[in-house]
Amino acid sequence: MDDATLGYGFSPTNEINFITPLILSLVDNKTLYLGGEKIIKWVGAENRWIKTNNGNVLDVNAMSAMVASHQDLNTVYAASSPKATRPNVYKTNNGGDSWVKITQNLPDRFPAVLAIDPLNDLNIYITFGGFGSSHVF
């Protein structure tokens, strides 16, 4: 069994944070995303876990926060924790088939929460844990 298999089982072999983001789609309440170095997706209509991003990591850090759109089943944001590199925020508009890095120069802090404007998927907010810098962007 690899990272995500058909059926109900999965065996993550990638790095995850102690508190791993697991989010439910607000659009259909049947789609879940689980974030580690790799992000896997539960597709309830098909009763299976699938790999996103062709099974590739987004960067060398595990995800620490994720949020799904209130309007579009395929729009999700994920923030990586600062382990090997500074944190980044990624976005998918195609249900995880591909992800795009949308940030530059975030503080070297731990992304704690991502929030999305329920009326506009282009407006997201991120809070950071840590000391010595701003915490809301």
Side-chain angles (χ1 to χ4, degrees):
M1 186 180 299
D2 62 5
D3 292 339
T5 62
L6 295 176
Y8 294 105
F10 68 92
S11 177
T13 57
N14 61 332
E15 182 177 320
I16 59 173
N17 286 323
F18 179 72
I19 300 174
T20 301
L22 173 66
I23 61 168
L24 176 66
S25 168
L26 300 171
V27 176
D28 73 354
N29 294 321
K30 296 178 184 174
T31 304
L32 294 166
Y33 289 87
L34 177 66
E37 280 180 317
K38 300 176 183 177
I39 297 174
I40 58 174
K41 172 181 169 181
W42 172 258
V43 182
E46 300 174 17
N47 269 351
R48 68 183 183 125
W49 288 99
I50 61 171
K51 299 175 186 179
T52 70
N53 203 40
N54 292 314
N56 297 311
V57 298
L58 301 185
D59 63 23
V60 294
N61 303 313
M63 299 301 114
S64 61
M66 297 175 68
V67 67
S69 168
H70 294 252
Q71 304 163 22
D72 182 356
L73 179 63
N74 293 311
T75 300
V76 178
Y77 291 88
S80 63
S81 53
K83 183 178 176 187
T85 65
R86 295 179 81 88
N88 293 296
V89 177
Y90 298 88
K91 178 182 181 182
T92 182
N93 285 322
N94 55 22
D97 289 342
S98 60
W99 296 80
V100 176
K101 184 172 102 169
I102 61 167
T103 52
Q104 298 179 34
N105 303 321
L106 291 175
D108 195 15
R109 301 286 181 258
F110 197 89
V113 176
L114 280 174
I116 192 167
D117 182 334
L119 302 176
N120 186 344
D121 290 343
L122 298 177
N123 296 327
I124 64 165
Y125 307 91
I126 185 169
T127 60
F128 291 88
F131 300 96
S133 68
S134 299
H135 289 79
V136 178
F137 292 82

